[in-house]
Amino acid sequence: MTSRIIGTGSCLPETIITNDWLSERMDTSDEWITSRTGIRGRRLVREETTADMAEQASRLALEQAGIAPEDLDLIVVGTITADHVTPSAACELQARLGAKKAMAFDINAACSGFLFSLETADAFLGTGRFQNALVLGAETLSRIMDWTDRSTCVLFGDGAGAAVLAREETGILSFDQGCDGVRGSALVCRGRGNNNPLVATGNEPDYVHMDGQEVYKFAVTTVPVSIHKALEQAGLQAEDIKYFFLHQANLRIIQSVAKRLHISVDKFPVSLDHCGNISAASVPILLDEINRKGCLSRGDKIVLCGFGAGLSWGTAVMEW
């Protein structure tokens, strides 16, 4: 037995922020952003929260899967922007859904968060103690952006994506994951400083800092290797795959990975043009968009791949 995705869902905030809108507020332009990233717009929250978006995405995924919330066994949320330090986003989601018997917890693996959550849920289902799981990537990245730094804030957006897993005879075929903490400083956001009675350093909020060139070099070299490893474990070739669902960080990264795999870029769906980079949520949102367009059929072979802060990466090969 393995785990198969039987339902997907996603949620994007209503407010669309275009490149032109940003160019009126900072030293940038639509041409500058689009030519370097492929991003034309992104969604930002107004009053929505991470839990709000996670709930909506989850209800859509559960409806498609035909599973009632009270029948859920497990909830795993990949996020770096939960609404609270504690309780976790997963526990808040469990309460909202009424999934009373589900064990629930978060995973912080940034842009690899959905893939790490997926493998974790698959491992739990593999024990036989759990029959199904709800796996999400959910982010409110606008909360941790410096909106005066055009090198970072123009890249990111908010949203949530969900997938329901069930124990079945076919589905996930292989995983490859890894981390390179030595290069972790390439993409960082510091937590709260110490402010106990012995050491008063203040609690000035920090924002995302990124070495774009270092992250780009990491992605274009690591991702193709990870995909090759996962395909080899699954006994498949790149040509056997219908779609490659990559983390939506940068169009140039996607194009470079396609070239290194010797696969047409047409097999790499894109949502970053209207979503931007939504960290852990980007892969499940893209998967849901393609699924709801009716582009996936039972038996199709697909690859999911997340990569980013940590530095971390995760790849899954599966049969739809």
Side-chain angles (χ1 to χ4, degrees), residues 259-276:
K259 184 177 180 180
R260 292 181 182 225
L261 291 174
H262 305 291
I263 294 296
S264 170
V265 75
D266 293 339
K267 286 192 171 188
F268 292 75
V270 170
S271 64
L272 63 80
D273 57 333
H274 58 278
C275 290

Side-chain angles (χ1 to χ4, degrees), residues 12-240:
L12 294 172
E14 293 184 2
T15 304
I16 300 172
I17 301 299
T18 65
N19 293 343
D20 288 333
W21 189 91
L22 290 174
S23 68
E24 295 174 359
R25 291 158 176 81
M26 64 185 69
D27 182 19
T28 191
S29 67
D30 176 64
E31 190 280 331
W32 190 91
I33 299 171
T34 303
S35 64
R36 288 164 174 77
T37 68
I39 299 169
R40 297 185 178 276
R42 72 287 293 145
R43 303 291 188 97
L44 300 187
V45 301
R46 287 185 181 269
E47 298 180 356
E48 305 100 326
T49 66
T50 299
D52 289 337
M53 295 184 291
E55 180 184 1
Q56 183 171 333
S58 296
R59 292 193 182 279
L60 290 170
L62 288 167
E63 180 182 16
Q64 189 176 84
I67 291 181
E70 55 268 27
D71 293 329
L72 276 174
D73 295 324
L74 176 67
I75 300 173
V76 186
V77 179
T79 185
I80 57 171
T81 51
D83 298 320
H84 307 96
V85 174
T86 190
S88 67
C91 283
E92 186 171 0
L93 180 59
Q94 184 221 38
R96 284 171 172 244
L97 293 175
K100 295 182 180 180
K101 74 170 185 175
M103 184 173 69
F105 57 91
D106 291 355
I107 288 181
N108 179 340
C111 305
S112 304
F114 179 75
L115 270 300
F116 277 45
S117 299
L118 188 69
E119 179 163 12
T120 300
D122 176 67
F124 272 99
L125 267 61
T127 67
R129 292 179 52 215
F130 301 86
Q131 298 303 310
N132 59 60
L134 176 64
V135 182
L136 294 98
E139 304 284 14
T140 307
L141 296 175
S142 57
R143 183 186 297 151
I144 57 173
M145 292 296 117
D146 177 355
W147 288 94
T148 65
D149 178 10
R150 72 167 188 171
S151 68
T152 56
C153 72
V154 302
L155 305 176
F156 296 94
D158 303 328
V164 177
L165 292 183
R167 292 189 78 226
E168 294 198 10
E169 293 183 358
T170 185
I172 295 173
L173 304 175
S174 66
F175 283 107
D176 177 72
Q177 290 176 302
C179 299
D180 183 1
V182 173
R183 292 195 283 174
S185 60
L187 184 50
V188 64
C189 180
R190 294 187 299 274
R192 295 174 63 178
N194 195 343
N195 198 32
N196 70 30
L198 303 177
V199 181
T201 57
N203 281 311
E204 290 296 320
D206 191 39
Y207 302 101
V208 169
H209 307 276
M210 181 173 68
D211 182 339
Q213 290 187 343
E214 182 65 20
V215 173
Y216 178 86
K217 287 188 292 185
F218 155 74
V220 299
T221 56
T222 303
V223 170
V225 172
S226 179
I227 291 175
H228 273 305
K229 287 181 178 179
L231 286 172
E232 184 176 2
Q233 292 175 32
L236 296 172
Q237 301 293 322
E239 294 78 11
D240 300 322

